């Protein structure tokens, strides 16, 4: 008897997706690897056999993966999951100390990677490295024959039983995704089969993904957006996937989209800025849905992208703890009615099917009236199981099934969510809450660089007199800080929101995480290093 909610069991959906794809292209990458549904399943089953026979002990629960978005990474993740092991895609952009911390938290013994990638990254990993290239010489004829029979001829019910997939429960942990660490030490987010499966099903409900779609995967799999919305969406549904190892290689990303006629593209505003400047419009003409998340999507960037490529990006919202998608705007091309009623710029869309949102007072947690800004709480099957080995931290953010996002938002009567700020991106100055994001938006307009460039960011340091002091990090600007401050005042910003002219710090580039988000921790460290007196407070 299959477990309840068996539609949530992603490896079972993966088997069916590959069988339906058959000889149709299923996954490809910019390094030239192309696999059909049959060949993807074949390779995955072969790697599963080798990992089980030669690498992983029976009691080995967590498996590290250190691979960029690629066909190899897709196969490694799928094979790990078919073994009912928990895949942990490690963030290769963090410091050695953070990497070691993540591996220690999970008790990882083996890390799947590639020699070429490790030679390029030069990482020190406190676990045994398993190089995927080395398996080529270890595949036997028996491995090939057994996997070929399983992938093409064995009845699916028998195959699922043989692989042990009928024993997988929806609330079993599928993966550990470590938080970005933008505000402190990363936490291991436990996402279950139900969490990720329900998120994919809901995304499919609103975007109506078909076999005619090709999802473009440029977000790393250590990012929950990349893990769910590009990798497992492709593995569980009928879309094909095209992957590139770095979202910063704008021209290569454009060529990948052009070659494989990408239709669905998930990215961040930071990466979209680079594509506006460097991608050939002809390469991007197949795009139908471009979704930006992780940071606020500026209207100027939307306009610049649409003018160059003929498709207007839409904004969505989510976070790692929510698997990750909470809400999204729906473009007319994917709307059942063919109109724009499913989108409203300036908002992050409506909640996905099965996801609830409510706004409460940040201190009392009492519900607030519609239209009033407050703390955004989310409930649904996408809410994480918890933080790995941190029940106290889990209890702080999940209460009665509601996850506290840390974002300040307005819930409009028709269901659209408008994010107005992040609790961690406010400063308390003179007893008032000052929003960093609002100041950044005004600064960006004043410096005149256009939203396709990342030129300014606001952080804060302790201040003995006012509580906190606003600090503006910026790349080279044509206007002086004094002139900028005058223009901030002319734009109508309150005096408390205007940084002092001596609080501007020029940097070579704004600190950004590998996920495309602002590195809030790195930004604060730069500011503290500059204002040493503040650091001593």
């Amino acid at each position: 008897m299959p477990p309840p909610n068996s539609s949530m069991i992603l490896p079972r959906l993966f088997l069916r997706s590959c069988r339906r794809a058959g000889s149709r292209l299923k996954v490809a990458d910019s390094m030239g690897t192309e696999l059909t549904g049959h060949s993807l399943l074949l390779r995955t089953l072969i790697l599963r056999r080798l990992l089980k026979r030669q690498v992983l002990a029976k009691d080995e629960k967590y498996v590290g993966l250190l691979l960029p978005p690629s066909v190899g990474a897709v196969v490694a993740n799928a094979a790990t999951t078919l073994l009912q092991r928990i895949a942990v895609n490690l963030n290769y952009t963090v410091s050695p100390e953070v990497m070691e911390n993540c591996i220690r938290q999970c008790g990882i013994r083996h890390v799947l990677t590639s020699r070429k990638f490790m030679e390029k990254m030069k990482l020190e990993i406190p676990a045994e490295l398993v190089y995927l290239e080395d398996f080529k010489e270890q595949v036997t004829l028996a491995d090939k024959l057994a996997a070929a029979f399983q992938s093409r001829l064995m009845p699916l019910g028998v195959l699922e039983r043989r692989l042990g997939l009928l024993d997988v429960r929806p609330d079993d942990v599928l993966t550990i995704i470590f938080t970005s660490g933008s505000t402190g030490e990363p936490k291991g987010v436990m996402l279950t089969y139900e969490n990720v499966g329900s998120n994919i099903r809901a995304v499919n409900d609103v975007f109506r993904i078909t076999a005619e779609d090709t999802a473009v995967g440029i977000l790393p799999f250590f990012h929950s957006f990349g893990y769910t919305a590009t990798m497992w969406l492709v593995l569980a549904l009928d879309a094909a996937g095209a992957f590139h190892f770095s979202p910063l290689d704008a021209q290569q990303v454009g060529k990948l989209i052009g070659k494989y006629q990408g239709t669905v593209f998930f990215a961040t505003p930071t990466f979209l800025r680079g594509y506006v400047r460097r991608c050939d419009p002809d390469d991007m003409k197949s795009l139908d849905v471009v979704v930006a998340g992780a940071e606020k999507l500026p209207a100027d960037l939307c306009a610049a992208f649409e003018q160059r490529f003929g498709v207007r990006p839409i904004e969505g919202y989510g976070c790692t703890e929510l698997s990750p998608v909470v809400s999204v705007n729906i473009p007319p091309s994917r709307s059942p009615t063919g109109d724009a009623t499913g989108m409203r710029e300036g908002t992050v869309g409506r909640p996905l099917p099965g996801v609830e949102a409510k706004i409460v007072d940040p201190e009392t947690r009492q519900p607030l009236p519609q239209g009033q800004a407050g703390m955004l709480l989310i409930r649904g099957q996408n809410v994480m199981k918890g933080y790995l080995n941190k029940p106290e931290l889990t209890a702080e953010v999940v209460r009665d099934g509601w996850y506290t996002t840390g974002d300040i938002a307005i819930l409009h009567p028709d269901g659209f969510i408008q994010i107005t700020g992040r609790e961690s991106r406010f400063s308390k100055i003179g007893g008032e809450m000052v929003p960093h994001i609002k100041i950044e938006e005004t600064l960006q307009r004043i410096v005149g660089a256009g939203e396709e460039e990342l030129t300014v960011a606001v952080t804060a340091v302790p201040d003995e007199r006012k509580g906190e002091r606003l600090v503006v990090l910026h790349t080279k600007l044509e206007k002086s800080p004094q002139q900028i401050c005058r223009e901030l005042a002319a734009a109508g910003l309150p005096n408390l929101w205007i940084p002092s002219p001596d609080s501007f710090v020029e940097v070579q580039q704004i600190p950004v995480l590998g996920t495309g988000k602002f590195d809030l921790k790195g930004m604060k460290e730069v500011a503290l290093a500059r204002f040493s007196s503040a650091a001593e407070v």
Side-chain angles (χ1 to χ4, degrees):
M1 178 73 67
N5 293 326
S6 60
S7 63
M8 301 291 188
I9 307 303
L10 292 170
R12 299 177 67 181
L13 296 179
F14 167 62
L15 299 182
R16 286 161 170 74
S17 173
C18 287
R19 285 278 180 94
R20 286 194 302 270
S23 58
R24 175 172 55 83
L25 180 70
K26 186 63 177 169
V27 291
D29 62 32
S30 55
M31 293 175 285
T33 304
E34 297 181 346
L35 298 180
T36 65
H38 285 321
S39 56
L40 172 59
L41 184 52
L42 175 69
R43 288 201 187 185
T44 302
L45 290 169
I46 288 175
L47 180 58
R48 177 191 180 276
R49 288 174 62 89
L50 295 172
L51 291 174
K52 183 178 181 180
R53 184 172 72 227
Q54 300 182 18
V55 178
L56 303 177
K58 290 184 177 180
D59 64 342
E60 204 163 343
K61 188 175 182 181
Y62 300 97
V63 179
L65 293 98
L66 203 56
L67 295 159
S70 59
V71 170
V74 171
V75 172
N77 271 275
T80 300
T81 304
L82 287 184
L83 275 171
Q84 290 94 64
R85 309 302 172 95
I86 298 172
V88 185
N89 287 273
L90 297 166
N91 186 341
Y92 39 80
T93 69
V94 298
S95 67
E97 294 75 23
V98 171
M99 176 75 75
E100 183 177 359
N101 181 282
C102 294
I103 289 175
R104 177 180 51 76
Q105 283 192 51
C106 295
I108 290 172
R109 300 182 222 169
H110 291 93
V111 173
L112 308 184
T113 186
S114 76
R115 291 188 183 277
K116 185 175 181 181
F117 182 68
M118 291 303 294
E119 288 170 3
K120 180 180 178 181
M121 300 300 293
K122 296 180 172 58
L123 298 169
E124 293 293 329
I125 307 300
E128 185 176 343
L129 298 179
V130 179
Y131 297 108
L132 297 181
E133 301 97 323
D134 294 351
F135 282 126
K136 291 180 181 178
E137 304 299 322
Q138 300 167 20
V139 179
T140 67
L141 178 61
D143 290 327
K144 294 178 182 178
L145 292 174
F149 176 69
Q150 289 180 330
S151 64
R152 285 178 175 260
L153 301 175
M154 184 176 285
L156 276 174
V158 176
L159 179 58
E160 289 173 337
R161 190 175 299 109
R162 180 70 59 87
L163 298 177
L165 301 182
L166 299 185
D167 298 326
V168 177
R169 311 297 298 184
D171 63 349
D172 288 343
V173 176
L174 168 69
T175 188
I176 303 291
I177 301 283
F178 280 91
T179 57
S180 63
S182 62
T183 58
E185 181 182 273
K187 299 179 286 291
V189 176
M190 296 185 289
L191 298 181
T192 66
Y193 289 85
E194 181 178 54
N195 290 153
V196 178
S198 67
N199 213 232
I200 290 171
R201 186 172 63 185
V203 168
N204 187 36
D205 284 345
V206 298
F207 286 142
R208 299 184 295 163
I209 304 296
T210 72
E212 301 299 314
D213 282 310
T214 297
V216 182
I218 51 100
L219 297 174
F221 297 161
F222 60 72
H223 188 314
S224 59
F225 201 10
Y227 181 83
T228 297
T230 59
M231 186 183 72
W232 271 111
L233 180 142
V234 168
L235 294 181
L237 304 179
D238 287 334
F243 300 90
H244 182 65
F245 54 83
S246 173
L248 299 175
D249 293 338
Q251 291 182 331
Q252 292 301 318
V253 171
K255 290 178 181 177
L256 181 79
I257 293 171
K259 181 177 180 179
Y260 293 105
Q261 295 294 285
T263 58
V264 180
F265 190 25
F266 297 98
T268 70
T270 298
F271 299 142
L272 292 183
R273 289 186 183 97
Y275 306 147
V276 170
R277 292 197 300 271
R278 300 188 186 96
C279 288
D280 187 328
D282 285 342
D283 287 335
M284 313 287 268
K285 60 187 179 183
S286 61
L287 289 177
D288 181 52
V289 179
V290 178
V291 183
E295 294 284 353
K296 181 176 176 58
L297 177 62
D300 287 355
L301 176 57
C302 287
F305 197 95
E306 182 180 30
Q307 182 178 6
R308 185 160 176 80
F309 304 123
V311 58
R312 194 171 184 88
I314 57 174
E315 189 169 5
Y317 169 77
C319 59
T320 304
E321 290 87 345
L322 298 172
S323 306
V325 186
V326 169
S327 63
V328 69
N329 283 284
I330 305 171
S333 63
R334 298 286 167 145
S335 169
T337 56
D339 57 28
T341 56
M343 62 180 293
R344 181 182 300 163
E345 291 196 0
T347 77
V348 293
R350 294 188 179 102
L352 294 178
V355 176
E356 295 178 73
K358 72 176 179 179
I359 306 296
V360 301
D361 183 281
E363 295 183 4
T364 66
R365 292 183 70 88
Q366 291 301 307
L368 293 175
Q370 282 187 336
Q372 186 171 336
M375 181 63 67
L376 175 62
L377 305 188
I378 297 296
R379 182 169 67 180
Q381 292 176 313
N382 59 327
V383 175
M384 67 172 179
K385 190 166 189 173
Y387 294 122
L388 179 66
N389 300 324
K390 290 181 169 62
E392 301 85 3
L393 288 180
T394 303
E396 287 179 12
V397 297
V398 181
R399 303 181 196 176
D400 300 321
W402 290 94
Y403 172 73
T404 304
T405 65
D407 286 311
I408 306 300
I410 295 171
L411 182 61
H412 292 280
D414 53 2
F416 284 93
I417 299 172
Q418 180 183 353
I419 305 296
T420 60
R422 181 152 183 82
E423 193 175 36
S424 62
R425 299 221 62 203
F426 280 80
S427 289
K428 196 158 190 177
I429 301 175
E432 293 188 26
M433 298 302 289
V434 177
H436 296 180
I437 293 175
K438 181 66 176 176
I439 300 169
E440 284 169 354
E441 290 173 352
T442 310
L443 281 167
Q444 194 73 24
R445 289 197 299 271
I446 288 172
V447 300
E451 292 293 353
E452 67 273 12
E453 295 183 47
L454 189 60
T455 56
V456 292
V458 176
T459 184
V461 296
D463 183 90
E464 196 169 35
R465 186 169 57 88
K466 296 188 295 182
E468 285 190 274
R469 171 184 184 172
L470 295 172
V471 176
V472 178
L473 304 184
H474 62 87
T475 55
K476 190 171 183 62
L477 300 175
E478 294 182 1
K479 296 181 179 180
S480 68
Q482 290 80 2
Q483 182 180 353
I484 292 172
C485 289
R486 287 195 295 270
E487 293 189 38
L488 285 172
L493 264 61
N495 287 334
L496 282 177
W497 294 22
I498 300 176
S500 61
D502 62 351
S503 295
F504 283 66
V505 180
E506 184 172 331
V507 294
Q508 188 172 1
Q509 60 184 23
I510 305 297
V512 175
L513 296 167
T515 57
K517 294 182 180 180
F518 276 140
D519 183 356
L520 302 182
K521 184 179 179 184
M523 286 162 50
K524 184 175 285 291
E525 288 173 352
V526 171
L528 287 170
R530 171 65 176 80
F531 299 100
S532 56
S533 59
E536 294 166 2
V537 173

